[in-house]
Amino acid sequence: MQDISPNTSTKTDTNAAPPATTPLTGSCLCGAIAYALRSTPQAVSHCHCRICQKAHGAAFATYGSVPAKDLVFTRGQEQLRSFASSPGITRCFCQQCGSSLSWHSQHYEEGAWISVALATLDSEFVVGRQRHVNRGAGMAWVDGGTR
């Protein structure tokens, strides 16, 4: 997983997603955990690294980052579990169904950003600028994969 901070650029992004007018909501597969995002996800990335592949059981994982204070659990926070997947990186998931919900890095300022698995959103979210990262680890059976 590439450790990226949404604040790495000071340029205005003309392709950015429009700001959310109401909080975006999401949940895990079984519905035990629900959350709301009080800001629009930034730095939308499709990560092809082996850790994301294994964590999601897929060729890549798609995340968007929000300030940690803007991720609010509205149901089932006691069902949330975490796993240190690599040095300084913690992934959170539902203990009931295993849905991967987020990851955060200890390398950012304390509580600065959290990356949310965008496929867990229940609200419609229009993505502006997005990127693919760690393509070198991509699966050969996916367009652009190298393995």
Side-chain angles (χ1 to χ4, degrees):
M1 167 180 347
Q2 184 173 342
D3 191 13
I4 56 171
S5 172
N7 275 342
T8 57
S9 174
T10 57
K11 293 181 181 178
T12 301
D13 184 1
T14 57
N15 295 319
T21 55
T22 59
L24 297 169
T25 60
S27 60
C28 65
L29 176 63
C30 71
I33 299 173
Y35 65 86
L37 300 179
R38 296 187 296 196
S39 62
T40 302
Q42 304 295 310
V44 173
S45 299
H46 309 285
C47 185
H48 295 258
C49 81
R50 286 298 289 154
I51 294 171
C52 283
Q53 290 168 356
K54 296 243 181 206
H56 287 264
F60 57 88
T62 302
Y63 288 98
S65 299
V66 297
K69 65 179 178 44
D70 288 350
L71 170 61
V72 178
F73 290 96
T74 57
R75 180 176 63 243
Q77 188 168 4
E78 70 281 358
Q79 300 295 320
L80 199 60
R81 294 296 176 264
S82 62
F83 173 72
S85 60
S86 53
I89 304 295
T90 301
R91 294 174 181 273
C92 296
F93 59 94
C94 174
Q95 74 171 358
Q96 297 297 316
C97 65
S99 290
S100 179
L101 297 168
S102 66
W103 71 269
H104 62 276
S105 172
Q106 295 174 351
H107 304 292
Y108 300 153
E109 280 183 41
E110 181 64 31
W113 293 95
I114 191 162
S115 296
V116 177
L118 294 182
T120 64
L121 284 172
D122 298 322
S123 301
E124 183 175 337
F125 173 58
V126 178
V127 177
R129 185 172 160 233
Q130 52 190 294
R131 63 188 179 153
H132 287 262
V133 296
N134 298 310
R135 276 237 144 132
M139 295 292 178
W141 42 267
V142 174
D143 291 340
T146 59
R147 290 180 3 130

